[in-house]
Amino acid sequence: FFYFPETHGISFRIQISVKELLDTDVLLKLLFHLPVNYPSTLPDISVNSDQLTRAQCMDVKEKLLEQAKKHPSEPMVHDLILWVQQHLKDVIEQSTTVCNEKTALSKGTEDGIWMLLLHLDHMRAKAKYVKTLEKWTSNLRLTGRLMFMGKIILILLQGDRSSIKEYLILQKTSKVDVDSSGKKCKEKMMRVLCETEVQSQHKRFQTFEVKEYSAPEELQKEFETAGLTTLFSEFVTPLLK
């Protein structure tokens, strides 16, 4: 979408999907801010992607800015988008090589520690449902929070990537709740809001706890304490509206 801050130039977001390593698609969210005297002044660029680490996004941004400098005084956004589609794989591979030495030390398992944020629409058989989730998280050694705030139900989990994937299968295929007539039923109203690798600024949860919050501010504080302010503003704030 476009928005025009008066006299500050133009900002617009572009989402592109790039075929990536292992043939999975990487969805890149690019935000370009073109100053008033663009193209004689370079654009500001920000890069986000759920499939990439923050460090990889920063590397992609740096490489895009390097490319931008090669187009002095000529419109370049289209060229930059084409460039990132062609070169994303190389940038990530370089970025990964540099990161591997650091992450090899911090990874307990081959896949690292991942985080999952889920949104549930409702729980009819709440006590039974909660008990089931506590059992699964315990068996899979996942930590985090089951959070209730008004009608909002969120599940935030951290653990090995393989355990997170196993949890998602259980959540989708097991009869965890009851329908309106009291029959056991599967969870059909679940949304995965975010699935990402845990970064150094994220606090690790030591246990899995069930918590009730009486106001959005309390919920926000829980996320902020865990170093997850961005996660809250991006995925939870829209649910509160």
Side-chain angles (χ1 to χ4, degrees), residues 2-194:
F2 289 81
Y3 54 104
F4 300 83
E6 55 310 322
T7 71
H8 291 129
I10 302 173
S11 293
F12 58 92
R13 281 180 208 279
I14 291 178
Q15 288 206 137
I16 55 169
S17 185
V18 185
K19 268 269 184 269
E20 207 8 72
L21 309 162
L22 307 172
D23 292 332
T24 54
D25 286 355
V26 171
L27 188 67
L28 276 188
K29 298 167 194 163
L30 305 173
L31 176 63
F32 289 94
H33 176 75
L34 311 184
V36 178
N37 44 0
Y38 168 84
S40 49
T41 306
L42 292 179
D44 279 331
I45 304 170
S46 83
V47 177
N48 280 298
S49 172
D50 293 343
Q51 290 99 330
L52 302 183
T53 63
R54 189 160 293 193
Q56 286 171 330
C57 287
M58 289 300 287
D59 284 347
V60 172
K61 175 185 167 172
E62 278 171 30
K63 291 281 188 272
L64 278 172
L65 289 170
E66 278 172 29
Q67 288 303 310
K69 286 174 188 160
K70 295 177 184 172
H71 295 270
S73 303
E74 57 182 69
M76 63 190 78
V77 171
H78 181 64
D79 289 337
L80 293 178
I81 290 165
L82 288 177
W83 184 89
V84 80
Q85 284 176 313
Q86 287 160 2
H87 295 89
L88 181 67
K89 188 172 177 177
D90 307 332
V91 177
I92 288 172
E93 279 175 348
Q94 283 173 3
S95 173
T96 312
T97 319
V98 177
C99 293
N100 272 351
E101 292 155 24
K102 296 180 210 156
T103 49
L105 302 169
S106 61
K107 283 190 179 183
T109 65
E110 196 184 325
D111 282 324
I113 301 300
W114 280 65
M115 180 161 55
L116 180 69
L117 181 63
L118 301 173
H119 175 233
L120 299 183
D121 187 71
H122 61 272
M123 281 185 185
R124 282 201 176 89
K126 186 175 171 181
K128 176 184 167 287
Y129 205 134
V130 170
K131 220 174 190 139
T132 306
L133 297 192
E134 286 178 328
K135 190 177 89 183
W136 289 346
T137 53
S138 167
N139 290 347
L140 293 167
R141 294 214 293 277
L142 296 172
T143 60
R145 300 281 183 268
L146 168 56
M147 303 179 267
F148 295 94
M149 206 290 298
K151 289 189 171 176
I152 293 171
I153 307 168
L154 297 170
I155 304 172
L156 179 62
L157 297 172
Q158 291 177 345
D160 291 347
R161 193 175 189 185
S162 54
S163 302
I164 293 266
K165 289 199 178 308
E166 213 170 310
Y167 175 90
L168 269 174
I169 293 167
L170 284 170
Q171 180 81 56
K172 288 172 183 169
T173 57
S174 309
K175 292 188 173 179
V176 282
D177 206 5
V178 296
D179 61 19
S180 50
S181 61
K183 278 198 194 128
K184 287 182 180 180
C185 67
K186 292 177 186 174
E187 178 56 75
K188 294 190 181 74
M189 305 282 279
M190 177 191 81
R191 280 197 308 142
V192 176
L193 300 179
C194 178

Side-chain angles (χ1 to χ4, degrees), residues 197-234:
E197 194 164 6
V198 170
Q199 305 294 316
S200 54
Q201 71 271 23
H202 300 152
K203 186 171 154 280
R204 290 290 309 279
F205 292 109
Q206 298 306 311
T207 54
F208 178 75
E209 291 175 39
V210 181
K211 288 192 158 188
E212 307 242 357
Y213 306 87
S214 51
E217 294 73 29
E218 281 183 27
L219 188 60
Q220 187 170 353
K221 196 158 188 264
E222 179 81 73
F223 277 80
E224 284 172 359
T225 310
L228 301 172
T229 310
T230 317
L231 197 73
F232 183 86
S233 55
E234 201 169 328

